[in-house]
C-alpha cells in the first residue's frame, strides 16, 4: 500500500505551482508516525519529481533522507544527486546501523540544472531498481553491492526523516537546492508498470 498521506513540518520551503522550492537550507520534516509506519518495511519504492537549480561540485543533494542519532556506525537511507568525475547522477546511499559497510549505487543518466527528473528507487527485498524519467538505470556501485536493503535493514534506533535533506550521525545534512514536486513512498515495492504509470500520469505538470 502507499503510505497514508501525512503532513510534514515545512521549514523555509516555499510553495509554488509545481511544488516546494528549497534554497539550500530548507527542508520538510516527516512526523514520528511516518518513521513508525516504515520501520518494518523490507521492500518498497521512493519516487519523487525534482528539479535541481544548483549542482556544485563535490556537494550531495538529498531528495529524501532517513537516519538516526550520533552512534558508532550510524544508519543511512538517502536517495540523492551525487557527482562522479564531474557529472551528477541519481544515487542512493544505504547503510545498516552498527555495520561499517556502505552501499552506494548510482544510475547512468546525467543530471543537469533546471530540468525536471522523476527519480525512483525501489527494492523487492533482494535487489534495487532505479529509474530516471521512467528509464531503467544501469547500476554502478561506488561502494558496496546490490543487497536490496530497505528501511528495516537500515534500522536506525531513533529515526528522523526529511524531504529535501538527510539525517546522518545525528545531524541534518546534504540539503537539496531546487524544486521538489509530487512523490510516493510505498510498501510493498510498486511494480514497474505502476512506477511508469506515475511518471506518465504526472509528467505533464513538469
Amino acid at each position: 500500500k502507499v503510505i497514508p498521506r501525512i503532513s510534514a513540518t515545512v521549514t523555509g520551503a516555499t510553495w509554488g505551482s509545481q511544488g516546494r522550492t528549497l534554497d539550500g537550507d530548507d527542508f520538510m520534516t516527516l512526523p514520528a508516525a511516518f518513521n513508525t509506519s516504515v520501520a518494518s518495511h523490507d521492500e518498497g519504492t521512493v519516487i519523487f519529481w525534482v528539479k535541481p537549480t544548483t549542482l556544485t561540485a563535490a556537494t550531495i543533494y538529498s531528495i529524501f533522507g532517513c537516519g538516526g542519532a550520533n552512534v558508532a556506525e550510524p544508519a543511512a537511507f538517502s536517495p540523492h544527486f551525487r557527482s562522479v568525475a564531474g557529472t551528477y547522477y541519481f544515487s542512493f546511499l544505504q547503510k545498516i546501523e552498527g555495520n561499517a559497510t556502505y552501499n552506494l549505487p548510482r544510475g547512468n543518466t546525467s543530471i543537469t540544472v533546471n530540468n525536471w527528473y522523476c527519480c525512483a528507487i525501489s527494492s523487492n527485498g533482494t535487489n534495487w531498481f532505479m529509474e530516471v524519467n521512467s528509464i531503467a538505470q544501469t547500476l554502478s556501485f561506488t561502494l558496496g553491492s546490490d543487497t536490496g536493503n530497505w528501511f528495516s535493514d537500515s534500522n536506525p534506533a531513533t529515526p528522523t526523516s526529511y524531504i529535501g535533506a538527510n539525517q546522518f550521525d545525528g545531524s541534518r545534512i546534504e540539503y537539496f537546492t531546487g524544486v521538489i514536486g509530487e512523490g510516493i513512498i510505498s510498501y510493498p515495492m510498486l511494480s514497474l508498470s505502476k512506477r511508469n504509470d506515475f511518471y506518465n500520469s504526472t509528467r505533464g505538470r513538469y
Side-chain angles (χ1 to χ4, degrees):
K1 65 179 182 179
V2 174
I3 293 169
R5 184 184 297 269
I6 54 179
S7 296
T9 300
V10 178
T11 302
T14 56
W15 176 255
S17 61
Q18 292 180 301
R20 289 197 176 270
T21 297
L22 298 86
D23 65 8
D25 60 1
D26 302 334
F27 57 96
M28 291 162 271
T29 308
L30 295 172
F34 170 84
N35 296 311
T36 300
S37 71
V38 301
S40 63
H41 294 176
D42 58 3
E43 63 170 283
T45 296
V46 176
I47 179 170
F48 277 96
W49 277 101
V50 293
K51 182 177 78 171
T53 55
T54 299
L55 293 171
T56 302
T59 302
I60 296 169
Y61 298 90
S62 291
I63 300 166
F64 169 86
C66 177
N70 184 0
V71 297
E73 300 299 347
F77 185 102
S78 176
H80 61 276
F81 293 146
R82 175 184 295 262
S83 175
V84 178
T87 300
Y88 269 87
Y89 298 95
F90 178 45
S91 306
F92 176 61
L93 178 65
Q94 188 279 328
K95 182 175 178 292
I96 299 171
E97 187 162 294
N99 189 307
T101 300
Y102 288 82
N103 296 304
L104 182 54
R106 67 165 175 87
N108 59 287
T109 297
S110 60
I111 304 296
T112 56
V113 297
N114 299 319
N115 292 303
W116 280 100
Y117 299 96
C118 183
C119 295
I121 173 75
S122 303
S123 173
N124 60 7
T126 303
N127 300 106
W128 288 306
F129 307 90
M130 301 175 78
E131 293 94 34
V132 175
N133 291 345
S134 206
I135 299 171
Q137 300 294 285
T138 300
L139 301 191
S140 299
F141 284 82
T142 305
L143 296 168
S145 60
D146 189 1
T147 65
N149 286 345
W150 207 240
F151 285 109
S152 65
D153 303 296
S154 301
N155 195 32
T158 54
T160 301
S161 298
Y162 299 107
I163 297 171
N166 188 21
Q167 176 80 0
F168 184 74
D169 204 14
S171 298
R172 187 174 57 249
I173 59 173
E174 298 170 353
Y175 297 92
F176 189 82
T177 303
V179 187
I180 297 182
E182 293 169 84
I184 293 175
I185 301 173
S186 75
Y187 172 83
M189 182 183 81
L190 292 179
S191 67
L192 177 60
S193 64
K194 289 183 178 179
R195 301 196 302 270
N196 289 338
D197 285 346
F198 174 81
Y199 169 74
N200 289 318
S201 65
T202 56
R203 64 178 177 170
R205 298 169 198 156
Y206 304 102

